[in-house]
Amino acid sequence: MQGLKENKIQFILLVIVNAFVGAMVGMERSILPEFGKTLFSLSTATAITSFIIAFGISKSVSNYAVGAFSKRFTRKQLLVFGWLIAAPVPFLLMYANHWNWIILANIFLGISQGLTWSTTVVMKIDLVGNKNRGLAMGINEFAGYLSVGLAAYLSARIASNYGYAIYPFIPGLFFVLAGLVLSLFFVKDTAAFVQAESKESPIPLIKNIWSQTTWNHRNLGSVTLNGLVNNLNDGVMWGLVPLLLIQRQFTVSEIGMIAGIYPAVWGISQLFTGKMGDHFCKKQLITMGMLLQAIAIILLVFFTSFSAAITAAVLLGLGTGLVYPNFLTVVAENAHPTQRAEVMGVFRFWRDMGYVVGALLSGVLADWLGLETALYAIAAITAGAGLIANVRMCCTLKVFWRSQECSPAV
């Protein structure tokens, strides 16, 4: 039987697993740009952000593969395999003697993240059903991104005390072991829930999942575009913002705090914004979130103080928190249960390609026009995507401001 209360033990286990998934990304989030400059003498923004490109491409492909592989393998098998792929990552980061090792580590990390995070999302949707889907997604993303923030701060603190080599990546060994053990021995597969829901679902089957999810479907296509742009600016926060803060003479600990606060607020806020999506118009939550992100990026560039950077990180986290769980619930409520993994895979493919687009675009713009101009451009793109969502998407629940309600069908 589907339901959050009815399956609370398995749901909690999946939340804990996803926390370790997030921590794997967090451990390198605040330190790799300076790690590249200090240990490998990288000088250009394009070179430094190359690890994000490697991560983004591999994660995008892995996300898409989850949908394809879901026809042949169980959710649990994909989750366990994802953790096995993650096993070499801490060792590659700890003992890297060339920047190519970092690229390779992020390829493995991207593949692992695609398999593990996508699978935990789909399994939670399988468990809870329609009633509290937004709340469930909020809790899932809360656990993942709070862990990203905490791990980012932890690695920065370790780096400030012991240097960038080896020590900041030791916690990754624990993250991999804990995630693998929980997934292998305690998490149960959710195939039975999918079969039961499929018999009662009124959602029509999608003929061409790729094209409809990519753009043609008004709701799915709009969240896919906004997901890509959201991760585009997240990649910028990961790659360029630490460089901007270094230029402004911020300490490693201060950069770690800013890098940690952003995903921590992003994670915590989703406990509330996910539930909001169960009651209010999701397209308007998405529009507000994207506009808030754009304002935060402008604030970060325009004001140079540490307090302003903290404020911008909080606002950026809140804006991202507004959109992230609602992306996932829009996908879930517009996809038939038997196609859910495939539709989610296509959405997450394009969403995480945002890391690639963001790293390439921001790196080129930063080298050509400077860091500040690049960030202003990213802010404009972010605001534009949010406005497109407000014009194109349909509302099926309560609205904050006047909005035409319509069928979410193509």
Side-chain angles (χ1 to χ4, degrees), residues 89-158:
V89 173
F91 296 102
L92 288 168
L93 294 172
M94 288 165 62
Y95 299 110
N97 57 18
H98 192 279
W99 187 246
N100 286 340
W101 286 45
I102 306 301
I103 301 297
L104 180 61
N106 277 273
I107 291 172
F108 278 110
L109 182 62
I111 295 171
S112 170
Q113 290 282 304
L115 290 169
T116 53
W117 203 310
S118 293
T119 303
T120 58
V121 166
V122 173
M123 291 178 81
K124 289 186 185 74
I125 292 172
D126 294 342
L127 288 174
V128 302
N130 294 323
K131 185 178 179 182
N132 290 306
R133 188 168 281 160
L135 176 62
M137 290 301 93
I139 293 172
N140 179 78
E141 302 302 286
F142 155 77
Y145 286 99
L146 179 62
S147 295
V148 171
L150 293 175
Y153 180 69
L154 174 64
S155 63
R157 292 291 298 174
I158 294 173

Side-chain angles (χ1 to χ4, degrees), residues 159-392:
S160 67
N161 290 326
Y162 301 102
Y164 289 99
I166 299 180
Y167 296 102
F169 307 112
I170 290 177
L173 299 172
F174 168 74
F175 301 151
V176 171
L177 180 61
L180 179 59
V181 169
L182 288 175
S183 300
L184 185 59
F185 296 108
F186 297 97
V187 171
K188 297 178 181 178
D189 194 56
T190 57
F193 295 93
V194 178
Q195 294 171 1
E197 187 183 355
S198 298
K199 296 177 182 178
E200 302 177 358
S201 177
I203 302 171
L205 292 169
I206 298 174
K207 292 182 179 180
N208 189 321
I209 291 176
W210 177 265
S211 66
Q212 295 298 324
T213 307
T214 299
W215 178 250
N216 290 343
H217 193 287
R218 294 178 64 173
N219 286 356
L220 293 174
S222 298
V223 299
T224 296
L225 171 66
N226 277 267
L228 185 148
V229 173
N230 181 90
N231 279 23
L232 181 153
N233 66 48
D234 183 40
V236 170
M237 282 293 294
W238 191 355
L240 290 193
V241 170
L243 300 180
L244 178 69
L245 299 180
I246 289 166
Q247 279 188 2
R248 294 176 176 177
Q249 306 301 313
F250 285 28
T251 67
V252 175
S253 293
E254 287 174 335
I255 295 171
M257 185 176 295
I258 295 164
I261 286 174
Y262 155 55
V265 172
W266 172 357
I268 293 170
S269 66
Q270 288 177 105
L271 289 174
F272 309 98
T273 58
K275 186 64 176 175
M276 287 171 66
D278 289 328
H279 298 282
F280 297 101
C281 176
K282 294 179 183 66
K283 81 168 186 178
Q284 293 177 350
L285 296 176
I286 290 169
T287 297
M288 289 191 295
M290 298 300 284
L291 292 177
L292 190 58
Q293 289 177 49
I295 292 169
I297 295 170
I298 293 170
L299 177 66
L300 182 65
V301 180
F302 192 77
F303 297 99
T304 60
S305 67
F306 178 67
S307 60
I310 293 292
T311 302
V314 171
L315 292 176
L316 193 62
L318 288 173
T320 311
L322 270 170
V323 301
Y324 234 70
N326 292 302
F327 287 158
L328 299 175
T329 52
V330 168
V331 172
E333 69 190 17
N334 285 275
H336 190 272
T338 58
Q339 295 181 323
R340 185 178 294 144
E342 290 182 84
V343 175
M344 189 70 73
V346 175
F347 161 73
R348 288 172 66 89
F349 168 84
W350 285 116
R351 190 197 66 184
D352 289 329
M353 280 299 289
Y355 286 119
V356 181
V357 177
L360 287 170
L361 180 63
S362 62
V364 171
L365 287 176
D367 289 336
W368 180 32
L369 301 173
L371 284 172
E372 295 186 355
T373 302
L375 289 168
Y376 282 131
I378 299 302
I381 293 170
T382 302
L387 294 174
I388 288 173
N390 190 60
V391 170
R392 189 164 187 255

